[in-house]
Amino acid sequence: MKTFKNLYEQIYDFENLYQAYLSARKGKRYRDQVLQFSANLEDNLIQIQNELIYQTYKVGRYHEFFIYEPKKRLIMALPFRDRVVQWAIYRVINPILMKGYIADSFACVPGRGAQSAIQRLQYWMRREERKHGREYYLKLDVSKFFYRVNHTVILDILRRRFGNDEKLMWLFDLIVNSEETPFGLPAGYNPGEADRIYETGMPIGNLTSQMLANLYLNELDQFAKREMHIRCYIRYMDDIIVLFHSKPALHQYKAEIEEFLNTRLLLNLNNKTALRPTTLGIDFVGYKVWSSHIKLRKSTARKMRKRLKFVRKQYEQGKMPLDKVHETMNSYYGIMKHCNSFNLRKKLSETYVLRRKD
């Protein structure tokens, strides 16, 4: 395996820190933390640089809050200066990691978002159904993935790539084993012996968490492609689809993948695992995919209508400017243009007429 040199020095290079600052502030430049940091930008960047050079950097305390879409999740946000550090790491390390990913790994990879994933899935469905007629799919979902990423395992994976750079490994260890937080287990989730605080989990919301999560499951990708020789295999973060024309073969694939997850990555599959014919359509990244067409998932459409109803009410009461309404509408139309959604778009255009009260 190829080794790399001077990566740590590239991370704390002042130009890299400045570009990391620009990336971290994108869309947030008028928030208080960002304004305070920007007011003494050069001094703050030099302070971060010195802390990295002399290895005195410490991860700041996380701000915790919940989001409820698509389900209740605990999000842990770092102070702005720590987000600059994370972007500095990401800019140097992620391009190297991406070169080792399979072509059918999506999410958190530039140019490989949800739309690319569903287009690839539909391509495989069309191709396999033409060849074999009746086709089946195996859908796998890792249980509580971000909360159960094992620190020892991820650091071992990183060490195989970057073990010759002791300072870089020090930084990875500092981020993975942060002392400021138990990495936020979900509400109502009681950690067992294998999930002791500080030994598993990565905070949802961190840029490095997304990067390391992809690297973690890349181990499964390589196993599925190189050792199991599965042809039609697609992964979008912790959602995995496998296509094949034989149900017994898919049951065998599931058993081998589950054993690999259990023994090598210390993860489990959840009860969303399914094995069905592709003619029923495949729920994947917010859409339902057939070989002939793609529709927006019903739950996604319901959430969209609920959100637009709220936006319209906020606008009518003078609590939301028109440009923000347009941003929301444009983002939803962007989602709908990738699927067969003519009737839904027509209904939304007719229903959500804006009228501001005097």
Side-chain angles (χ1 to χ4, degrees), residues 314-325:
Q314 290 291 101
Y315 174 77
E316 290 174 349
Q317 295 176 353
K319 297 178 180 179
M320 181 179 290
L322 186 60
D323 61 332
K324 293 294 183 183
V325 177

Side-chain angles (χ1 to χ4, degrees), residues 14 93 187 322 338:
F14 188 85
I93 301 301
L322 186 60
H338 296 284

Side-chain angles (χ1 to χ4, degrees), residues 227-240:
E227 297 186 37
M228 295 178 65
H229 304 290
I230 301 176
R231 187 175 190 181
C232 302
Y233 169 99
I234 294 175
R235 180 177 65 81
Y236 187 93
M237 196 48 72
D238 59 341
D239 290 330
I240 300 158

Side-chain angles (χ1 to χ4, degrees), residues 296 300-308 332 336 348:
L296 203 63
T300 306
R302 281 197 301 269
K303 291 170 186 174
M304 186 182 296
R305 286 194 290 266
K306 183 178 179 181
R307 174 63 183 171
L308 288 176
Y332 285 149
M336 289 186 287
L348 291 178

Side-chain angles (χ1 to χ4, degrees), residues 147-160:
Y147 305 112
R148 300 194 61 136
V149 170
N150 185 276
H151 295 183
T152 301
V153 174
I154 187 60
L155 288 172
D156 285 344
I157 295 169
L158 287 165
R159 198 168 288 110
R160 294 205 304 265

Side-chain angles (χ1 to χ4, degrees), residues 90-249:
Y90 182 86
R91 283 173 48 81
V92 173
I93 301 301
N94 200 56
I96 295 171
L97 298 180
M98 282 172 49
K99 293 177 182 178
Y101 294 160
I102 65 171
D104 291 324
S105 167
F106 297 87
C108 305
V109 178
R112 296 196 213 167
Q115 282 70 43
S116 297
I118 60 171
Q119 289 168 12
R120 184 63 169 170
L121 176 58
Q122 189 179 55
Y123 164 79
W124 281 120
M125 292 172 72
R126 287 173 173 171
R127 178 169 174 165
E128 296 305 301
E129 286 178 13
R130 280 198 301 267
K131 290 173 63 176
H132 304 289
R134 191 169 181 83
E135 193 77 7
Y136 299 91
Y137 75 90
L138 173 65
K139 183 178 181 181
L140 305 171
D141 191 356
V142 179
S143 176
K144 299 181 178 71
F145 171 58
F146 273 93
Y147 305 112
R148 300 194 61 136
V149 170
N150 185 276
H151 295 183
T152 301
V153 174
I154 187 60
L155 288 172
D156 285 344
I157 295 169
L158 287 165
R159 198 168 288 110
R160 294 205 304 265
R161 298 298 301 272
F162 309 112
N164 62 321
D165 192 330
E166 292 183 4
K167 290 185 177 180
L168 180 59
M169 287 307 303
W170 165 81
L171 185 58
F172 281 137
D173 184 85
L174 185 69
I175 291 171
V176 170
N177 291 307
S178 171
E179 296 178 357
E180 289 297 326
T181 171
F183 284 88
L185 294 171
Y189 178 62
N190 297 316
E193 185 64 22
D195 298 309
R196 290 192 298 272
I197 290 175
Y198 304 129
E199 292 185 5
T200 64
M202 294 191 299
I204 299 174
N206 271 10
L207 187 62
T208 54
S209 293
Q210 298 171 20
M211 180 181 73
L212 296 180
N214 242 359
L215 178 64
Y216 201 86
L217 286 180
N218 178 60
E219 298 291 299
L220 174 61
D221 298 343
Q222 300 299 330
F223 174 73
K225 285 290 190 180
R226 313 303 174 202
E227 297 186 37
M228 295 178 65
H229 304 290
I230 301 176
R231 187 175 190 181
C232 302
Y233 169 99
I234 294 175
R235 180 177 65 81
Y236 187 93
M237 196 48 72
D238 59 341
D239 290 330
I240 300 158
I241 302 289
V242 179
L243 301 179
F244 203 63
H245 55 274
S246 166
K247 288 179 73 174

